[in-house]
Amino acid sequence: MADVDKDKLFAGSIPRFYDMWLVPLIFEPYAADLVGRLDVTSLSRVLEIAAGTGVVTRALAATLPETVDIVATDLNQAMLDHALVVGTKRPVDWRHADAMRLPFEDDSFDAVVCQFGAMFFPEKSKAFAEARRVLRQGGVFIFSVWDHIAENEFADVVTTALAAVFPEDPPRFLARTPHGYHDRQVIERDLARAGFSEPPRFDTVAARSHATSFRLPAIAYCQGTPLRNEIETRDASRLDEATEVAAASIAGRFGTGAVDGKIQAHVVIAVK
């Protein structure tokens, strides 16, 4: 299986490591930001696509009035299974669904939200068109994508470190997929092709990624994302070695205690 085919493969221990290490490291600050952008006074039904292990879902359930129905979907059943185990503050309708073929009627949601999932859609415009189709007129599609990897320090350091471990075939998952869809003109073009006639709003949001140990970001990226699939495809026996090399690189740049690095993302808002 080619690397690009494995970019969407969140299986085995990845969902657990993802939720344990990566969610607090980089996702939680943006989850609160994304949910805070919703106008709760106009909502009765909200759809989340590419919900993963449910970090945004939990924020939605904790923040939105109980009168607002929440439907959370993901293509990867293993991620949904983990989200169900973690649970939410109040009931959520969990669905196994492909963002490019949503199993919902037209004009059935007031808002569609998606945190860091759009980069994984094989056909962005098709997924965006589906989001638009299920939105009611005047409804809002809010999603976030990571900025260029150079603006996200831990991911950049890990990617550079692994190139030294596998110099003939460097693992490029982080640069290729999570940080590979950041060009505003491309995103605006894809939304226009999906039928969004008004130009979207872009907000670039910088934050800080904190970890109590320099090892945690290395474990999070190397073992809690599909980067693990890339490493194990090259040599499964070297996963621990690759993680240690990444950790050493983080320590070399940020120190051997608690570490703090820049993260940056675009939040995109499109109205039907």
Side-chain angles (χ1 to χ4, degrees):
M1 186 183 293
D3 285 340
V4 70
D5 296 324
K6 295 183 179 180
D7 286 358
K8 300 181 288 294
L9 186 59
F10 290 78
S13 62
I14 289 178
R16 180 171 60 87
F17 277 76
Y18 176 100
D19 200 58
M20 183 185 302
W21 304 119
L22 206 64
V23 163
L25 187 71
I26 61 174
F27 290 130
E28 283 182 345
Y30 288 102
D33 176 88
L34 199 69
V35 173
R37 293 171 184 270
L38 293 170
D39 178 6
V40 298
T41 63
S42 64
L43 301 178
S44 61
R45 196 172 187 223
V46 174
L47 171 66
E48 182 185 1
I49 55 177
T53 57
V55 59
V56 171
T57 321
R58 294 191 287 273
L60 289 167
T63 304
L64 298 184
E66 293 197 10
T67 54
V68 180
D69 293 330
I70 303 169
V71 182
T73 68
D74 199 277
L75 180 61
N76 192 299
Q77 188 61 50
M79 297 290 269
L80 287 178
D81 290 343
H82 187 87
L84 283 165
V85 170
V86 176
T88 52
K89 189 174 181 179
R90 65 180 180 87
V92 167
D93 183 3
W94 296 96
R95 304 278 189 97
H96 179 253
D98 186 341
M100 297 193 298
R101 289 180 290 276
L102 293 173
F104 306 109
E105 295 181 358
D106 297 357
D107 310 310
S108 54
F109 293 93
D110 303 298
V112 176
V113 300
C114 180
Q115 175 169 264
F116 303 123
M119 308 89 70
F120 293 88
F121 300 152
E123 298 176 62
K124 274 71 168 176
S125 291
K126 187 173 182 179
F128 295 166
E130 278 291 274
R132 184 182 184 279
R133 178 184 65 78
V134 302
L135 276 173
R136 298 183 177 116
Q137 193 64 36
V140 63
F141 177 35
I142 305 180
F143 65 97
S144 54
V145 295
W146 292 114
D147 202 349
H148 193 281
I149 194 168
E151 301 292 345
N152 291 268
E153 293 179 325
F154 290 152
D156 196 24
V157 169
V158 168
T159 298
T160 301
L162 294 184
V165 180
F166 302 100
E168 295 182 1
D169 189 12
R172 296 289 297 167
F173 164 73
L174 295 175
R176 179 179 59 248
T177 300
H179 298 281
Y181 188 62
H182 53 79
D183 188 304
R184 294 187 180 202
Q185 290 184 334
V186 172
I187 296 169
E188 187 166 351
R189 178 203 66 196
D190 289 342
L191 284 166
R193 288 177 176 173
F196 287 95
S197 56
E198 295 296 323
R201 170 183 165 186
F202 286 86
D203 289 339
T204 299
V205 181
R208 305 299 298 180
S209 180
H210 306 282
T212 57
S213 165
F214 66 93
R215 295 185 184 279
L216 296 185
I219 295 170
Y221 283 111
C222 293
Q223 301 188 26
T225 76
L227 179 59
R228 177 175 185 151
N229 302 327
E230 280 196 289
I231 295 169
E232 292 185 327
T233 294
R234 285 152 179 78
D235 188 340
S237 70
R238 301 184 71 187
L239 176 62
D240 288 342
E241 175 195 349
T243 305
E244 285 302 312
V245 169
S249 291
I250 291 171
R253 179 164 172 182
F254 299 97
T256 57
V259 293
D260 176 281
K262 178 187 177 183
I263 48 178
Q264 186 161 293
H266 301 309
V267 179
V268 187
I269 303 172
V271 179
K272 180 175 178 178

